[in-house]
Amino acid sequence: MTRRVVVTGLGLVSPIGHNLADVTAALQNSRHGIVTMPQWESVGNLRTRLAAPIKNDPWDYPRKVTRSMGRVSVLSLYATDQALADSGLPTELLTSGSVGLAYGSTHGSSAELESFTRTLFANDGLRGIPGTSYLKFMGHTCVANLAQHYGIRGRVQPTVAACASASMAIGYGFDAIRAGWQDVVLCGGAEEMHFVHAGVFDIMFATSTKWNEEPDLSPRPFDKQRDGLVVGEGAGTLILEEYEHARKRGARIHAEVVGYGTNCDGTHVTAPSAEGMAGVIRLALQSAGMAPEAIDYVNAHGTGTDAGDRAETAAALATLGDKVPFSSTKGHTGHTLGGCGAIEAIFGIATMAHNFVPQTRNLLELDPLCAPLNYIKHEPREQKVNVVMTNNFAFGGINTSLILKRV
């Protein structure tokens, strides 16, 4: 079976806003969420001080709702509550078995894992550790907590794949609906802010450190002076639904998911592969039955790392040519890791709704070793956007590419 898959609900919490209207305005007006983190000065040997945290947490859940949740799960819950409200999906449908769930994060709550291990090793034993601790930092904490909260009885798929977690969840939902396994799938990803996320990349010399006291100037994807990524936090949820199912209940349709590709480089656990990235873009185009010329805008992974940006731009040139508008929104949000695939898919839908393409913040002088593409620099560009491609690449050589289309 091959069925059409549409997006009927959107929800997010991000460094630049907690609803579609606010993040759209931020992208249109070049507002960002990058700040200096003075509290990280106490972390020995951590060189970066830049991050993009959530400002003013918008939720107020009672403890009975969140007692098995760390911050990363609460982020996913808020985004999913928003998406369900936006979709108008009947509450009773969630427990019918026709609704599935696919959700991911890099791992569970880092803050809860830190608390667990500090108590464990301070006491040299388990005294003082709550029974809910593991539920908060287990790898599939988001999807498990969401499934129990909403009473999901359909297929539940954790997607724990670092920076590809959320896009892989959307891809799973797309495949499940097209194949007839589910009528609706709640899809997305989340990441909480914690110094360990910055530390993982800092150890690899992949974080931005040059602008620790000037957060307006970093990250700088594709720019000659870029010096690494900036970690961010947030969550995004998309409600995917079979087209006729959505029409019958009179749902508003934000966009259609028309293509998805995923593959693996199979070469190196951290070094990016232009060949692997190009391969996944071709798979997405093949899935959508589209020629490269059909793409109106590419939301790039574009983290601001040296090797990653060069490989990605080479892959884009080889598969899409040098005409398609190309930008990274991580200059606005930082790298939200397990959440970026869903957050950036929502950004792509915003570009179709408002006919603009966001610029890559801080891209002033292109790295001559990045491929010559149609980069959006300096300010957003007004243009008609009917088809968006959004790409994400993760450690382990795991690559994803999604194509969304205006309906």
Side-chain angles (χ1 to χ4, degrees), residues 306-341:
D306 191 49
D309 285 3
R310 292 176 183 177
E312 180 176 6
T313 59
L317 181 64
T319 54
L320 301 170
D322 62 358
K323 301 295 190 293
V324 59
F326 186 91
S327 73
S328 167
T329 48
K330 289 185 174 68
H332 297 76
T333 64
H335 189 353
T336 53
L337 305 174
C340 69

Side-chain angles (χ1 to χ4, degrees), residues 13 93 109 147 155 171 180 213 218 228 244 258 347 371 380:
V13 55
L93 191 65
S109 170
R155 289 176 173 236
E213 305 306 322
S218 193
E244 293 298 336
V258 293
F347 291 171

Side-chain angles (χ1 to χ4, degrees), residues 305-374:
T305 63
D306 191 49
D309 285 3
R310 292 176 183 177
E312 180 176 6
T313 59
L317 181 64
T319 54
L320 301 170
D322 62 358
K323 301 295 190 293
V324 59
F326 186 91
S327 73
S328 167
T329 48
K330 289 185 174 68
H332 297 76
T333 64
H335 189 353
T336 53
L337 305 174
C340 69
I343 292 170
E344 290 162 9
I346 293 172
F347 291 171
I349 291 171
T351 70
M352 289 189 283
H354 297 276
N355 289 312
F356 78 103
V357 175
Q359 91 276 30
T360 301
R361 286 193 67 258
N362 295 318
L363 175 49
L364 303 179
E365 183 180 2
L366 181 68
D367 176 1
L369 295 179
C370 285
L373 301 174
N374 185 7

Side-chain angles (χ1 to χ4, degrees), residues 93-143:
L93 191 65
L94 296 177
T95 59
S96 67
S98 65
V99 176
L101 172 66
Y103 222 91
S105 59
T106 296
H107 46 75
S109 170
S110 294
E112 297 297 334
L113 179 58
E114 178 191 359
S115 176
F116 178 89
T117 53
R118 285 188 185 278
T119 303
L120 175 66
F121 294 119
N123 297 335
D124 199 22
L126 302 176
R127 178 171 52 84
I129 296 177
T132 56
S133 289
Y134 175 70
L135 303 175
K136 298 177 180 180
F137 67 75
M138 62 187 184
H140 65 306
T141 184
C142 291
V143 77

